[in-house]
Amino acid sequence: MKIPRTTVDVGQEELEAVKRVFERGQFVKGPECEALEKEFATYQGTKYGAAVNSGTSALHLSLLAIGIQSGDEIITVPNTFAATVNAIIMAGGRPKFVDINPHTYTMDATQLESAITPKTKAIIPVHLYGLMADMKPIREIADKHDLYVIEDACQAHGAKYFGKKAGYHGDLAAFSFFPTKNMTVAGDGGIVLSNNEELITKIKALRDHGRMMGKHVFAGLNNRLSEIFAAIGRINLKKLDEHNEHRRKIANIYSKHLSEIQDIEIPIEPKGYYHVYHLYTIKTSNRDELRTFLKNNNIETGIMYDTCLDELDYIKKLNDDDKSRLDNCKNIKSKILSLPISGKLEQPTIENVCKKIKTFHQHVSP
Ligand SMILES: Cc1ncc(COP(=O)(O)O)c(C=O)c1O
């Protein structure tokens, strides 16, 4: 059973949106991107948006917009998709790592201050698996040390932290619209949100060869989003709440069944948080055996992420900090397993996955 992870429909509305763009004949820098920027910023509760061609570009341009200089340090976590750290390096920065909370899998804010040096420019908390990082202390520490906060919200469309969505606490928030994300444009895409008009204006110029009002004012890139993708994204955005609620229902079914199993730690949703379950990730000591068992039963699972990024050679070269401080990251990587989830999977499919996991555990620990 190959489990579809995308939630995009090939419906009448989507096809008409594509037709509308073709008929207009404007495939970049047009009204669909502008509308998506306004609609998604409003949805997330921020003032401004700049649509770009991927979540990676959203992070990269955010770092360029804050004026990162060669050798500036950016603090983040090692258990994230490589894009978070690649964006830092490609912008000329040096990654510094802090450990995570072993139960929420997001940045441990209590470690943050000890990682700050005179070279620190910004903090990138990652809202992992659909759960936001603990933003209040992160913001407070950033303010105390005069640092920027760029939220990596690529997995957190619609997630909430004490009633506020990503983009509220950060100076900038970067989202991905990749096909497997909670919201997609049916291709590569992304957006940066902010309440800071100046930063968003700069990002809009950076994504378009450094052009402002038709004039080239600084060096930039071509990181623009296609109008076709933006048109599809606008439709997918209308379905986002429904898809997130569906993900939460699936998560409830998993949690109800799997909490009975001693060797499994289910994901938590701390009080005040609204988890959107981009991934439903469990921790279990027999991870590899369970994964093989599920694969043999045609159930695909994922490991996000089996590498702590500080261990990769090209990153190690830039960061020689004491790695013992990253113990929680190291300890979880052999235990985490992401089970099938999407905005569309049906209840019987999930019940079947739970049944198989129970069978596995009866077998290994009768
Ligand atoms: C946490 C995180 N950051 C950044 C990215 C990069 O987004 P994209 O693939 O759209 O470039 C992703 C996408 O997988 C992600 O999950």
Side-chain angles (χ1 to χ4, degrees):
M1 177 187 28
K2 178 132 176 80
I3 296 175
R5 285 191 55 213
T6 190
T7 46
V8 75
D9 296 306
V10 196
Q12 200 53 30
E13 218 184 340
E14 284 78 7
L15 297 176
E16 270 165 20
V18 174
K19 191 162 165 257
R20 182 171 77 228
V21 177
F22 270 88
E23 282 170 357
R24 196 182 291 127
Q26 193 175 352
F27 295 100
V28 286
K29 300 210 272 187
E32 303 293 341
C33 278
E34 275 178 29
L36 177 65
E37 285 164 353
K38 285 201 185 92
E39 288 160 10
F40 191 62
T42 304
Y43 172 83
Q44 285 288 134
T46 50
K47 285 191 190 155
Y48 311 106
V52 291
N53 59 353
S54 70
T56 309
S57 299
L59 289 163
H60 184 213
L61 298 191
S62 294
L63 287 157
L64 295 179
I66 62 166
I68 187 171
Q69 304 282 318
S70 172
D72 280 348
E73 292 174 356
I74 310 292
I75 302 175
T76 190
V77 287
N79 64 326
T80 176
F81 183 53
T84 317
V85 175
N86 288 345
I88 296 172
I89 298 170
M90 294 306 286
R94 281 163 62 102
K96 290 272 284 186
F97 296 105
V98 294
D99 208 357
I100 53 159
N101 174 305
H103 307 295
T104 61
Y105 309 112
T106 59
M107 183 178 274
D108 177 359
T110 63
Q111 286 215 7
L112 204 42
E113 273 200 293
S114 61
I116 294 173
T117 75
K119 287 188 171 173
T120 308
K121 178 93 178 174
I123 303 164
I124 306 187
V126 180
H127 304 319
L128 202 73
Y129 305 150
L131 185 73
M132 285 182 63
D134 191 5
M135 290 308 295
K136 196 166 172 283
I138 294 172
R139 181 75 259 176
E140 281 167 6
I141 293 166
D143 287 343
K144 184 170 155 200
H145 295 270
D146 199 18
L147 304 173
Y148 286 100
V149 175
I150 299 171
E151 297 174 68
D152 183 334
C154 288
Q155 301 188 3
H157 316 67
K160 287 183 232 169
Y161 170 84
F162 295 95
K164 304 291 182 200
K165 294 177 182 167
Y168 178 85
H169 290 89
D171 297 283
L172 294 155
F175 292 81
S176 164
F177 293 141
F178 186 74
T180 57
K181 299 295 191 248
N182 291 38
M183 181 193 149
T184 181
V185 295
D188 274 312
I191 196 166
V192 184
L193 299 183
S194 181
N195 289 315
N196 183 324
E197 191 175 14
E198 205 181 314
L199 287 176
I200 288 291
T201 305
K202 199 154 173 208
I203 288 168
K204 285 184 177 173
L206 282 164
R207 75 177 173 190
D208 186 33
H209 305 288
R211 254 187 299 227
M212 267 174 170
M213 316 247 242
K215 288 207 171 78
H216 293 274
V217 287
F218 45 74
L221 297 157
N222 176 356
N223 286 156
R224 299 179 303 243
L225 181 68
S226 131
E227 281 283 284
I228 293 178
F229 286 174
I232 292 172
R234 293 177 66 199
I235 299 161
N236 210 245
L237 172 59
K238 287 195 261 172
K239 302 174 184 176
L240 176 56
D241 279 340
E242 185 196 318
H243 286 158
N244 279 347
E245 273 304 308
H246 189 83
R247 284 173 186 272
R248 287 173 60 79
K249 272 197 200 115
I250 291 177
N252 269 335
I253 298 170
Y254 274 136
S255 294
K256 192 177 92 201
H257 288 288
L258 303 183
S259 56
E260 293 167 12
I261 302 172
Q262 219 182 6
D263 183 40
I264 288 184
E265 181 181 322
I266 58 170
I268 57 164
E269 181 182 57
K271 205 165 182 294
Y273 288 60
Y274 180 81
H275 200 320
V276 293
Y277 294 98
H278 170 59
L279 293 171
Y280 184 94
T281 302
I282 58 168
K283 250 189 328 197
T284 181
S285 59
N286 282 315
R287 194 267 312 275
D288 293 338
E289 294 87 338
L290 173 61
R291 189 168 197 220
T292 307
F293 177 83
L294 292 174
K295 187 165 178 242
N296 292 340
N297 283 278
N298 289 320
I299 297 167
E300 246 188 299
T301 56
I303 302 175
M304 278 82 165
Y305 296 92
D306 56 359
T307 307
C308 295
L309 294 178
D310 60 286
E311 291 165 5
L312 295 178
D313 283 342
Y314 72 97
I315 295 174
K316 234 191 265 173
K317 269 195 234 159
L318 295 169
N319 178 288
D320 52 7
D321 288 351
D322 171 15
K323 301 295 191 292
S324 66
R325 294 189 305 123
L326 304 175
D327 277 354
N328 290 336
C329 271
K330 313 285 168 204
N331 288 341
I332 63 154
K333 73 174 182 176
S334 61
K335 299 189 181 122
I336 45 173
L337 186 68
S338 299
L339 303 179
I341 193 160
S342 90
K344 288 195 178 248
L345 284 185
E346 302 288 347
Q347 183 162 343
T349 310
I350 305 304
E351 302 271 4
N352 180 49
V353 177
C354 293
K355 208 167 112 198
K356 293 287 186 249
I357 295 174
K358 281 182 184 170
T359 306
F360 171 82
H361 278 90
Q362 275 155 11
H363 179 72
V364 291
S365 50

